[in-house]
Structures are given as C-alpha cells and as structure tokens.
Amino acid sequence: MKVAMSFRDYQKEQREKVSRSLMDSALSLAAAQGYASLSLRSVAREAGIAPTSFYRHFRDMDELGLALAEQAEDVLRACWKGFFSKAAAYSKSPGASVDPAEAFARLLAESLLACVAENPGLMQLFFQERTGSSPAMRRAISRAMDGFTDVLSGEIFRFFATLGTQIADPRMHAEIVMAVAQSACLDLAVDPDAELPRAVEDLSRKLVHVLSAAGSR
C-alpha cells in the first residue's frame, strides 16, 4: 500500500530540488565563466528562481561553493576507495610481468580519470578553485587535498612494501603524484574533445616516472 507523502516531506523534497538546481546551475555557469565571475542573481536566473529565493537555500555564493566542494570531495573519496581496493587486490596477487610502479600508476590513473570523465563540471570546479578567489573554498579544497595526499602516502608505502620495495619518503612522492594527477584531471575536465584512454596513458607514463624513483628493492 502506497503511503501518501506528508506536506512536510513534500516541502523538504522541493527544497532539495531547488538546492540541487542552484548547484547544477552554478556548475554549468562556472564551467564557461569561472566561479569567481558568478553572481547570486546569475545563478538564480539560470535555475529559474527569484534571487530572493536563493537565500532559502544558501546564505551566499561562498556557502553554495562550499556545498559544491563538499560534493566533489565525496565523489573523489568514493573514487579513492575504489582505487585502494584495486591496489590492495593487486598487491596480494601481482601480475608477474608488470612492474609495481607501472601497475600502481595505471590503477591510479584509471580510477581518477574515470571519476573526472563522469563528473567533468564538478571536477573542474574542485581543481580550479583550489587557487580561486574564494578563501573559504580554497581552504576547504586544500584541506580535502591534504587528506587525500595523506592516505595516498600510506597506500604508496603499503603497496610497495608488500611487493618488496622500500619507499624512502612516501609523503613527498604522494605530494608529487597528487600535483601531476591534479593537472591531468583538470586538463581532462576542461577539454570536451579529450579522450579518456589517451589521458589515462599519458598520466600513467608520468606517474611511472615519479613512482619508479620512489625507492629501491
């Protein structure tokens, strides 16, 4: 038996729809103009609501940007979890003919860039606004990136240790990997003609150079 939605639940659902519409509109406009150029009025107009209605959902553009940054962080966190699972599975039964650095680089490139290909607008905003005009967004994104770098550092150490390679400074290599990966992710996000397989190959090659120098057996 279908239970009728209460008026309170209906109101909540409608608020969530409008909030989602505002976020989607901001992403769409930011992809073409940059987030710094957006105004409350332009986003509200794109979403089809009155500017005064914007305040029912977000206090200002900074709060909207933080919501988008948080969403991007959630998407990336799920992507990282998938990568860690694949890396752990590989380290337990490695391919005999595959160099550990090549395997790690390929798994990471495939995981990150597939995430970008599925969420180009969100990923473009996340990586661009790390150095954007909003201090609140810069802090939030930098904090997220530092967290990802921390967990990547541990994963680099564990992965190579399992395969018999000692890493002298996993944190330093994680920072380099993140910088290279961030650039590749942004390139893929902003280029509508970019091909995912080619982007994966290119990033994999770059990461191999970084990881091959990470330590010695």
Side-chain angles (χ1 to χ4, degrees):
M1 180 178 178
K2 188 175 180 179
V3 179
M5 180 184 296
S6 70
F7 182 66
R8 180 173 296 178
D9 288 340
Y10 172 78
Q11 285 183 312
K12 180 181 178 182
E13 182 181 87
Q14 292 304 110
R15 281 197 301 271
E16 290 174 351
K17 283 183 178 180
V18 176
S19 295
R20 179 71 263 165
S21 179
L22 286 167
M23 293 170 70
D24 289 343
S25 296
L27 277 182
S28 177
L29 292 172
Q33 306 170 20
Y35 195 81
S37 70
L38 304 188
S39 68
L40 182 154
R41 286 183 174 277
S42 66
V43 172
R45 182 168 56 248
E46 181 74 10
I49 68 170
T52 52
S53 297
F54 180 99
Y55 296 106
R56 298 175 186 170
H57 306 275
F58 302 100
R59 287 193 299 269
D60 51 31
M61 288 298 294
D62 269 354
E63 187 173 73
L64 172 57
L66 287 174
L68 289 168
E70 183 178 333
Q71 181 187 359
E73 183 180 355
D74 289 343
V75 170
L76 284 169
R77 186 177 293 111
C79 166
W80 281 109
K81 286 182 179 179
F83 161 66
F84 293 147
S85 295
K86 292 176 183 177
Y90 179 88
S91 64
K92 292 176 182 176
S93 56
S97 62
V98 181
D99 178 79
E102 292 181 7
F104 193 92
R106 166 67 65 168
L107 291 172
L108 180 54
E110 288 177 344
S111 299
L112 279 180
L113 294 180
C115 178
V116 173
E118 293 172 3
N119 306 273
L122 192 61
M123 295 298 103
Q124 179 181 345
L125 178 136
F126 184 83
F127 291 115
Q128 278 186 337
E129 293 307 313
R130 189 181 186 185
T131 57
S133 61
S134 167
M137 290 180 70
R138 288 201 306 270
R139 286 193 297 270
I141 294 170
S142 292
R143 188 164 52 246
M145 290 291 285
D146 285 344
F148 291 142
T149 303
D150 285 341
V151 294
L152 178 60
S153 174
E155 186 61 28
I156 288 175
F157 180 84
R158 284 190 295 272
F159 182 86
F160 285 91
T162 301
L163 298 176
T165 299
Q166 296 302 312
I167 304 299
D169 191 344
R171 173 70 194 197
M172 179 188 72
H173 287 91
E175 289 174 356
I176 298 172
V177 166
M178 289 297 291
V180 173
Q182 176 179 324
S183 177
C185 288
L186 185 54
D187 286 345
L188 180 63
V190 302
D191 185 357
D193 298 320
E195 298 177 359
L196 179 58
R198 182 176 298 178
V200 168
E201 289 294 333
D202 185 55
L203 178 55
S204 295
R205 281 197 306 272
K206 293 175 181 176
L207 294 182
V208 166
H209 286 300
V210 175
L211 295 167
S212 293
S216 58
R217 290 185 182 277

